[in-house]
Amino acid sequence: MAHDGDALQYVQYHGAKEETYLPAIRQLISKDLSEPYSIYVYRYFLYQWGDLCYMALDSANELIGVVVCKLEPHRSGPCRGYIAMLAVRESHRGQGIATKLVCMAIDAMAARDADEIVLETEVTNQASLKLYERLGFLRSKRLHRYYLNGNAAFRLVLYMKEGTALKRPPVVDGQDGQMMGGLQKMEEYKGFAQDAEVT
Amino acid sequence: MADPALLYHDATASDADTLTASNGTGPAFASAESSRFAQTSLPLRQAPRRGAPPHIRDVTEKFTAACQALDVGQLVKDEYFTLFESIGAIEIMDPKMDSGFLQPGETLEDDFDPLAPLLPEELIGIMDQLLSYEMAWHTGYPLSQTLFTSVYIDRLLWPEPESIPQAQFYRDDILDDKRPGTLLDVLRAYCLALIKGCDYVIAKIMARDYFEEEDFSTHTYNRVLFVQAPIDVFLRELDASVEMIEDPDLQIDGGIRSAIVARLHFRKTFLCALDPECPLEILSSFWPPVVPFIDQVNDTHILGKTVPGSFSTKIQRRLASTVPPRPIVQVEFKDALQTLKQLCIDCKEATRFKDLPTDPLEYQSFLWTFASRQPAPLTYSRSYLSNILFDPYVLNAPVSLPLEDVQSFVFHESPILDPSNWALSPPRNPLMPKSPRLQFALLIDEFVERVGQSYLDLWVALGQNKCRLRRMLTHVIIAWDMLQQDAVFVDADLIAYALQLTISEEVMDGPLQTWVYIKKLWMIEKVVVLGFEQDIYLPDEYAGIYYFLSLMATKRKDALKRCVEHTNDRTVQFLQSSRFEDAQNTSEKISFIDSELQQATGISAFAKALHGIYTIANYLRLLPSPNRPFSTESLRYELRMKPFLSLQPPEVPPFEEFQAAVQPYGTYSDPSPSLHDDLRQADCKVWSDIDTSLKNAKDAFAKVKKYGAKESKAGGVEQAWNKEIQGMLASCIALGVTVAGLKSAVKDIEPGSKVQVKIEIPPAGASKRYVEGWIVPKIVKG
Ligand SMILES: CC(C)(COP(=O)(O)OP(=O)(O)OC[C@H]1O[C@@H](n2cnc3c(N)ncnc32)[C@H](O)[C@@H]1OP(=O)(O)O)[C@@H](O)C(=O)NCCC(=O)NCCS
């Protein structure tokens, strides 16, 4: 992808940079949202998985693009990476910036032993579908009225390791998998990974 | 990414695709009682106990002091702070989140006066606006963004009235000169009936499995929608209103007068149709009367004048909800009416269910066809059908429905189901062995009991929206897989007792497991076909997925073949022993099984032909094929096969086998040289395999068509069934054209040269496919 996104700098987020970057991240992400996320949603991800957030900055240190992720064991067993947010400034789209950011995030999650990476995107979001599918994601399911505007979503999945489909949660002493799953399920509640079932 | 709009949903545990059991019970479904949603046991903080008096303590000082100890940006996160909670959190003083935040000069309440006199055209305008919002609610938006934005509705419901007479646009005493006039009284009657209708709708939907937000929002924000009041009260108010409007003393334009009357009649007929107490036998008579009034409402909509001030988002601030105010949902009136009409049509269609013959396979055809209706039936219509399906009248059929299903496939005039087996009593001495025939009865009873839940699960899945249906089926399949394992044991016992009676030749080999297997394979095929319908697969995957589909259908075909053979054997046995009536009955049953067999044969052959053509297309690089730096073929195969990996049978083919099937000439980028030699010859195996499959498919579908809907146990949905089989035949013909086109395009092909044609994939959901789940590519000049 020899686009001219080269003058940009790609940097990993760090908690110490919250004051500098969080307002810009929020602004960039909210542009394409009908309603804003509260700051706690951003912090939920950035506080725990700041190292899975990458930013594209121009020479004036302006934020051009960002990707926000999380990574943790999923209740169904595998260690699941989740791409929660991705956006590139409108003036800079189509230059491979998002692709680069997503690749960096995937590499980082792979380095941290992710079995799979998932996300949801609107069924009509051609740019996003094309970007992820080019990298190897497949659509695994369609989610009816996933968005409140009534639109459906595709769940996209990328397996990173053989045997992911058969992974099961570890059984901890005296606690069955179900209980363990309980908390996870809550974690995955609507909005991000709506239906966290087994398929 | 996730939509922030999802963020503020009030908590309802409807996220997982868990199978939610239904509450239908009947003799066939003894163990069907269980909870609606899987309960999660979470180590959460204790919620304040209800009813405890509020205890208020000022923590400002403590809080300020605690904050002082933190740097800006430094975060404290306790382990209970989940994503869910972060999503539900709001920021104080952010105008978009903080519902108490007022812009300078903004007032908390609206100043619209619901007691101000209305013009007749304004009455029409408000009624029509309400109807639009009602339909928006039906399509999935919450009441808070639709009907509950009406100041009039708000006044009627809040403060909560103690009785219907108290439900007025004012409360308590009122000066006589402020008392609402006729038109406001009429509006009140209309609103009351509208609200009661919402109550009925919620009741019906909540009685069945649905998924909050995804399907429908049942939240009423602590408003009580006249749950206790009976329907007559509302009908009386409407009748009185009609009288008031028709009163010649009322000064009102004739056209407007009848427009208002039409709206009141619409409300009345609609409310009656929604009444959950409607007896099953006369359900169908309630929908047709609604439609002419909808047309009248449509024709006179132009007479109305909107009163925008009577709707406000500010009301949301007072609703019991953590949701910040959201914009009012805007719907075009004509779209709303279209939705309403469709709802009436779908519900009317659903009432036909009760006229079906008592045959679970007819039920299944009906459910499947209903779920496939275009446009997709609304949640209410689906619940409406489910309520009929799970009506005791249907479920308490004199026969066991699952057993009927089994019988249609495997037991024909079988000694195992001989009614006299059930008349036998166990030996007095429990140590004595029971007679083999009694054992038959006991084993069958046990199996029927065991099947009940899995059988219901399938029906419940068939009542969901189609995305959900596909996902739910993958779970139902797992349950049926376990059922099959149990069936193996029951079969072994059955055959052991048959041997004791030396009638083993009268019993099919593994009857119960064969039946379960056939049903399970049918579901697997449906999951795949729905995947095509829902655009789940990418074009370069088509070859592999159709390969898998063909494989599954072939297995079902083989199983059905054994059923046909057994039925034939039985007929011969009866003839030999001069049991002519039994012979006749048995051979009559063959039509259905053979129709199923031909159906499976057609699917397997047609999928095979598509597998062939898409494989060639992949080699010719006619389909987009991303380079996928982060993935491998085997990883993608694993992902695709995930829902089926645990099944046994059918075992998912090993990756190597799959690869050999989709890449017979080696990799697409560097195929073996024989590829081009073969492609040039129109009679070579690559092509002749496709031609043969296509011919087999056509023949098989033609046979199915000849059997017709009734023999195929789809008599209740004959029209749709005919359309589908016609579509399959048309797909075969279209594929033939494509094959011919591609053959001629490659007749001179050399390695490295490019074919001068392109492949077009007809898009999903655009009426560009003969059958949505079957993607026949088109060849166009390159
Ligand atoms: C999705 C988004 C992040 C892509 O950013 P980007 O930097 O333009 O992405 P890239 O340039 O790396 O790749 C996008 C690809 O989609 C293509 N594309 C863009 N718009 C498209 C469209 N309407 N139809 C088809 N393809 C489209 C681009 O051409 C490019 O492919 P190419 O490299 O083969 O030409 C950006 O469009 C965006 O911020 N959208 C709004 C937020 C959003 O939708 N986020 C994703 C939700 S998970």
Side-chain angles (χ1 to χ4, degrees):
Chain A
M1 272 145 269
H3 294 296
D4 63 6
D6 299 7
L8 300 177
Q9 224 194 319
Y10 291 86
V11 298
Q12 192 178 38
Y13 178 87
H14 188 278
K17 302 177 190 167
E18 174 169 319
E19 260 184 291
T20 324
Y21 293 119
L22 189 51
I25 292 177
R26 284 188 80 174
Q27 202 191 0
L28 186 57
I29 298 284
S30 345
K31 269 236 164 70
D32 295 288
L33 302 175
S34 50
E35 283 152 65
Y37 291 133
S38 81
I39 193 155
Y40 306 106
V41 175
Y42 295 91
R43 283 182 174 154
Y44 173 85
F45 289 106
L46 295 175
Y47 178 77
Q48 300 181 87
W49 297 280
D51 51 344
L52 297 179
C53 165
Y54 289 89
M55 303 178 290
L57 305 172
D58 70 5
S59 47
N61 240 18
E62 291 281 328
L63 185 75
I64 305 299
V66 67
V67 63
V68 175
C69 312
K70 72 168 178 165
L71 177 73
E72 59 187 341
H74 185 253
R75 71 184 177 107
S76 65
C79 175
R80 175 180 279 192
Y82 181 69
I83 300 181
M85 308 177 198
L86 170 70
V88 167
R89 207 186 267 192
E90 196 146 8
S91 54
H92 288 67
R93 288 184 190 169
Q95 301 173 20
I97 297 170
T99 303
K100 175 99 203 257
L101 287 167
V102 170
C103 288
M104 293 174 84
I106 295 177
D107 283 333
M109 290 190 267
R112 285 176 52 177
D113 231 22
D115 291 311
E116 62 178 357
I117 296 171
V118 310
L119 61 111
E120 292 90 33
T121 190
E122 226 170 302
V123 296
T124 51
N125 192 339
Q126 291 300 331
S128 158
L129 287 170
K130 184 158 175 193
L131 182 168
Y132 288 114
E133 285 168 359
R134 210 169 43 192
L135 297 177
F137 284 81
L138 295 183
R139 306 171 185 182
S140 77
K141 54 183 73 161
R142 199 186 182 103
L143 306 161
H144 181 62
R145 274 191 75 89
Y146 183 73
Y147 299 97
L148 263 216
N149 60 14
N151 283 352
F154 282 123
R155 160 79 48 78
L156 299 187
V157 181
L158 177 73
Y159 274 7
M160 307 292 288
K161 288 191 205 157
E162 305 273 343
T164 300
L166 293 170
K167 283 236 162 136
R168 293 289 172 264
V171 178
V172 186
D173 284 345
Q175 230 186 356
D176 62 333
Q178 208 54 41
M179 276 288 289
M180 293 264 306
L183 191 66
Q184 293 286 339
K185 182 170 170 183
M186 201 62 178
E187 287 277 319
E188 296 271 351
Y189 194 75
K190 273 216 132 138
F192 299 95
Q194 178 185 34
D195 59 338
E197 93 291 30
V198 206
T199 50
Chain B
M1 89 170 63
D3 189 315
L6 286 167
L7 301 185
Y8 307 104
H9 279 308
D10 304 83
T12 41
S14 63
D15 55 343
D17 280 346
T18 40
L19 267 174
T20 55
S22 334
N23 39 13
T25 42
F29 307 108
S31 59
E33 199 69 44
S34 73
S35 72
R36 172 157 305 277
F37 291 114
Q39 295 286 321
T40 46
S41 41
L42 299 174
L44 295 176
R45 273 173 293 222
Q46 286 289 304
R49 210 157 312 136
R50 264 166 180 276
H55 185 75
I56 297 171
R57 208 179 332 153
D58 187 347
V59 296
T60 314
E61 256 174 51
K62 268 194 170 175
F63 183 72
T64 317
C67 289
Q68 233 92 97
L70 290 172
D71 289 333
V72 174
Q74 187 185 341
L75 294 177
V76 182
K77 179 187 172 295
D78 84 17
E79 59 181 304
Y80 294 113
F81 190 74
T82 62
L83 175 57
F84 178 62
E85 286 185 291
S86 80
I87 281 168
I90 56 165
E91 280 170 69
I92 311 279
M93 297 306 282
D94 180 322
K96 278 183 144 173
M97 293 184 222
D98 182 351
S99 54
F101 180 88
L102 298 180
Q103 301 284 4
E106 193 188 355
T107 55
L108 186 62
E109 295 276 340
D110 283 291
D111 43 16
F112 181 81
D113 176 12
L115 294 177
L118 282 180
L119 296 172
E121 32 300 22
E122 287 177 329
L123 173 61
I124 294 177
I126 294 169
M127 286 174 163
D128 287 0
Q129 192 69 51
L130 287 169
L131 183 58
S132 296
Y133 291 142
E134 185 183 10
M135 288 304 123
W137 175 59
H138 266 283
T139 60
Y141 294 97
L143 285 169
S144 60
Q145 285 175 274
T146 55
L147 285 173
F148 281 8
T149 62
S150 159
V151 175
Y152 293 107
I153 300 238
D154 182 56
R155 287 297 173 99
L156 292 177
L157 291 176
W158 199 257
E160 192 182 336
E162 276 159 23
S163 63
I164 298 297
Q166 212 188 62
Q168 299 285 349
F169 297 141
Y170 58 90
R171 286 288 181 282
D172 306 323
D173 294 333
I174 189 168
L175 294 172
D176 272 345
D177 64 333
K178 283 289 272 180
R179 209 166 272 288
T182 304
L183 295 185
L184 276 175
D185 266 346
V186 170
L187 178 59
R188 171 176 171 269
Y190 185 89
C191 289
L192 291 177
L194 166 61
I195 294 166
K196 185 65 190 174
C198 296
D199 174 48
Y200 283 163
V201 165
I202 292 174
K204 196 142 245 183
I205 289 178
M206 292 194 30
R208 299 263 60 94
D209 301 275
Y210 75 102
F211 291 85
E212 189 75 21
E213 286 122 32
E214 166 181 312
D215 282 327
F216 189 80
S217 168
T218 56
H219 207 316
T220 59
Y221 311 92
N222 269 3
R223 301 287 193 262
V224 180
L225 308 185
F226 309 135
V227 179
Q228 303 297 338
I231 189 167
D232 330 4
V233 178
F234 302 91
L235 300 182
R236 266 202 306 276
E237 296 273 358
L238 287 171
D239 287 341
S241 291
V242 171
E243 251 171 61
M244 286 193 278
I245 294 292
E246 283 178 340
D247 182 348
D249 288 345
L250 187 71
Q251 296 293 315
I252 190 170
D253 169 89
I256 291 190
R257 190 193 300 266
S258 51
I260 296 172
V261 171
R263 280 159 179 75
L264 293 168
H265 281 314
F266 155 71
R267 244 329 127 197
K268 191 174 166 190
T269 49
F270 192 45
L271 185 63
C272 291
L274 295 174
D275 181 4
E277 306 278 288
C278 260
L280 195 61
E281 310 79 67
I282 51 167
L283 271 189
S284 57
S285 60
F286 283 90
W287 293 100
V290 189
V291 178
F293 294 122
I294 299 179
D295 292 335
Q296 284 183 41
V297 168
N298 187 29
D299 296 343
T300 53
H301 174 62
I302 189 152
L303 301 177
K305 183 163 176 267
T306 56
V307 185
S310 70
F311 296 91
S312 163
T313 44
K314 289 188 182 182
I315 295 170
Q316 293 181 26
R317 289 183 167 144
R318 290 187 287 105
L319 299 177
S321 159
T322 55
V323 179
R326 286 225 202 95
I328 300 181
V329 177
Q330 296 305 340
V331 244
E332 292 284 331
F333 187 69
K334 73 171 177 8
D335 296 338
L337 277 197
Q338 197 47 49
T339 307
L340 172 61
K341 242 185 167 161
Q342 197 58 45
L343 184 135
C344 295
I345 293 171
D346 288 344
C347 288
K348 172 79 181 26
E349 172 67 15
T351 60
R352 294 203 309 111
F353 187 91
K354 66 173 201 328
D355 304 327
L356 296 176
T358 310
D359 183 338
L361 291 159
E362 280 280 354
Y363 295 176
Q364 184 178 296
S365 301
F366 193 94
L367 293 174
W368 180 265
T369 306
F370 193 81
S372 306
R373 278 169 78 82
Q374 283 298 336
L378 292 175
T379 307
Y380 179 79
S381 316
R382 284 189 281 108
S383 308
Y384 189 83
L385 174 58
S386 299
N387 276 293
I388 300 175
L389 167 66
F390 288 102
D391 190 287
Y393 168 85
V394 174
L395 283 193
N396 291 337
V399 291
S400 153
L401 294 173
L403 191 57
E404 276 289 291
D405 194 329
V406 176
Q407 276 201 74
S408 296
F409 289 92
V410 294
F411 291 133
H412 310 289
E413 309 300 326
S414 170
I416 291 181
L417 296 189
D418 190 332
S420 64
N421 299 348
W422 273 262
L424 299 171
S425 33
R428 278 231 190 92
N429 179 351
L431 294 175
M432 293 291 287
K434 298 185 185 87
S435 83
R437 286 190 181 274
L438 174 61
Q439 294 285 11
F440 283 156
L442 295 174
L443 284 167
I444 291 296
D445 282 350
E446 187 188 309
F447 182 72
V448 165
E449 165 90 21
R450 167 72 181 82
V451 170
Q453 188 60 51
S454 311
Y455 207 87
L456 279 182
D457 286 347
L458 171 58
W459 282 1
V460 168
L462 291 176
Q464 304 303 315
N465 70 62
K466 269 197 147 178
C467 298
R468 181 66 69 172
L469 164 59
R470 176 169 177 272
R471 296 178 347 249
M472 233 187 215
L473 273 183
T474 62
H475 297 280
V476 176
I477 288 166
I478 305 283
W480 279 73
D481 189 54
M482 293 191 260
L483 180 63
Q484 188 171 350
Q485 289 161 31
D486 293 349
V488 170
F489 291 105
V490 184
D491 281 341
D493 288 347
L494 287 176
I495 199 70
Y497 291 115
L499 279 168
Q500 277 185 30
L501 293 168
T502 64
I503 53 165
S504 59
E505 75 287 353
E506 293 178 31
V507 179
M508 183 182 163
D509 191 23
L512 297 175
Q513 56 189 296
T514 304
W515 173 75
V516 177
Y517 194 35
I518 289 170
K519 305 279 293 182
K520 187 168 76 178
L521 287 164
W522 178 84
M523 287 183 247
I524 296 174
E525 289 167 40
K526 289 297 186 198
V527 169
V528 175
V529 172
L530 284 172
F532 281 111
E533 200 176 307
Q534 293 170 16
D535 227 3
I536 297 290
Y537 312 118
L538 298 176
D540 66 336
E541 295 184 86
Y542 292 172
I545 306 287
Y546 276 122
Y547 160 74
F548 178 71
L549 176 57
S550 173
L551 207 65
M552 294 301 110
T554 306
K555 288 178 190 292
R556 186 159 63 97
K557 182 178 98 179
D558 294 343
L560 285 161
K561 223 184 237 158
R562 292 200 300 107
C563 297
V564 170
E565 280 161 14
H566 173 70
T567 314
N568 283 332
D569 290 349
R570 289 293 284 152
T571 312
V572 172
Q573 286 164 15
F574 287 135
L575 288 175
Q576 281 167 352
S577 49
S578 303
R579 287 166 63 183
F580 297 112
E581 202 184 321
D582 289 340
Q584 175 76 15
N585 288 344
T586 306
S587 75
E588 270 168 15
K589 288 229 173 149
I590 284 209
S591 311
F592 167 69
I593 313 175
D594 193 48
S595 167
E596 286 290 291
L597 170 61
Q598 297 308 330
Q599 181 81 256
T601 308
I603 289 173
S604 121
F606 190 45
K608 186 166 178 214
L610 284 165
H611 158 218
I613 197 86
Y614 281 118
T615 302
I616 295 175
N618 275 337
Y619 277 114
L620 295 173
R621 317 315 301 255
L622 289 173
L623 299 171
S625 158
N627 62 354
R628 301 180 170 122
F630 288 101
S631 176
T632 66
E633 279 166 37
S634 64
L635 285 172
R636 292 197 296 282
Y637 181 64
E638 184 180 335
L639 173 59
R640 278 299 174 227
M641 291 299 120
K642 183 178 180 200
F644 315 118
L645 283 176
S646 69
L647 305 182
Q648 44 186 331
E651 290 78 11
V652 164
F655 174 64
E656 292 69 31
E657 211 173 302
F658 171 80
Q659 203 178 27
V662 293
Q663 302 190 356
Y665 292 92
T667 60
Y668 299 133
S669 52
D670 187 21
S672 98
S674 61
L675 170 72
H676 295 89
D677 296 338
D678 288 357
L679 286 179
R680 276 194 302 268
Q681 304 164 36
D683 53 357
C684 176
K685 191 169 165 1
V686 242
W687 291 115
S688 67
D689 273 358
I690 296 178
D691 294 337
T692 315
S693 302
L694 206 46
K695 183 177 174 310
N696 293 343
K698 258 189 261 180
D699 291 350
F701 289 133
K703 281 185 197 154
V704 177
K705 191 179 165 192
K706 208 156 155 231
Y707 276 121
K710 220 176 185 144
E711 293 286 3
S712 307
K713 295 192 186 274
V717 286
E718 188 158 11
Q719 226 178 346
W721 187 91
N722 283 336
K723 190 162 169 253
E724 167 115 7
I725 192 72
Q726 205 54 52
M728 292 311 292
L729 282 163
S731 302
C732 290
I733 292 165
L735 185 58
V737 175
T738 298
V739 172
L742 197 54
K743 263 187 200 165
S744 87
V746 298
K747 63 181 189 302
D748 302 318
I749 194 171
E750 292 295 334
S753 71
K754 215 165 158 9
V755 254
Q756 295 309 308
V757 290
K758 278 206 274 213
I759 272 194
E760 251 179 35
I761 305 290
S767 312
K768 291 268 173 22
R769 302 175 180 174
Y770 295 105
V771 181
E772 279 296 322
W774 293 89
I775 309 180
V776 180
K778 251 171 120 167
I779 299 286
V780 291
K781 288 256 141 20

